[in-house]
Amino acid sequence: MSKQLEQQPIESMRVDKWLWAARFFKTRSIAKDAIEGGKVHHLGERVKVSKEIHVGMELTLRQGFDQKTIVIQALSNARGSAPIAQQLYTETEASIARRELLSTQRKLHNLARPEHRPSKKDRRDISKFRQENDQQWSALDD
């Protein structure tokens, strides 16, 4: 008999193990640290590392700038390839839209940055501009 036929369907498993198998984190210890750091929530409340999860549960994960709301579709004890791991969950439409909006805002915010450091002449001009504005503001205050 093959191994796949011998395995029983999984009813529940630990959240840290599932996050590792679903490839949200590289190792279980990193998943554990994220959970303990308050980066994983279920129904608006922080979860513990040993939290038993089931198919259909909704989790909210924060990774860097992104916050994802996912629904668990399947459970797996083994860490598989990325395409297999993506079948373990689905991200909600609202979560996708929110992440895209925030990503666009971050990109637009970064466009306002100059492409280079100010040169010596630029720094002199900035200093002159500030001094003139300080004088104008002090004249208005008097």
Side-chain angles (χ1 to χ4, degrees):
M1 233 177 177
S2 71
K3 279 188 171 184
Q4 289 181 345
L5 294 176
E6 291 175 15
Q7 289 181 349
Q8 304 250 334
I10 304 167
E11 295 293 322
S12 67
M13 67 186 304
R14 290 172 54 115
V15 68
D16 63 330
K17 191 169 186 179
W18 185 84
L19 289 171
W20 166 77
R23 293 185 162 264
F24 284 104
F25 299 101
K26 212 171 202 178
T27 64
R28 279 184 67 185
S29 63
I30 295 173
K32 175 183 167 273
D33 292 341
I35 294 166
E36 289 173 345
K39 307 283 194 248
V40 182
H41 291 80
H42 172 63
L43 299 176
E45 295 183 13
R46 290 171 64 162
V47 299
K48 293 185 176 180
V49 178
S50 61
K51 170 86 174 162
E52 292 290 320
I53 59 168
H54 311 281
V55 173
M57 285 180 71
E58 189 173 286
L59 296 176
T60 304
L61 308 166
R62 178 172 291 282
Q63 290 181 303
F65 291 116
D66 294 333
Q67 181 173 329
K68 298 177 184 178
T69 303
I70 59 165
V71 178
I72 299 170
Q73 299 296 321
L75 301 176
S76 174
N77 280 325
R79 183 176 169 105
S81 64
I84 293 171
Q86 288 174 346
Q87 294 174 359
L88 298 178
Y89 64 92
T90 56
E91 187 173 1
T92 62
E93 295 296 325
S95 174
I96 293 170
R98 183 177 59 241
R99 281 192 314 114
E100 288 175 355
L101 175 67
L102 293 175
S103 174
T104 304
Q105 288 176 347
R106 281 194 308 271
K107 287 177 185 174
L108 291 174
H109 180 71
N110 285 337
L111 292 177
R113 290 185 175 181
E115 294 183 16
H116 58 84
R117 291 178 53 182
S119 66
K120 190 170 184 176
K121 182 183 181 315
D122 293 335
R123 289 194 305 272
R124 284 190 200 127
D125 291 343
I126 292 168
S127 178
K128 183 179 173 184
F129 176 77
R130 284 184 178 166
Q131 286 175 354
E132 289 173 358
N133 279 339
D134 287 345
Q135 290 171 357
Q136 288 175 356
W137 283 109
S138 63
L140 291 174
D141 288 338
D142 294 334

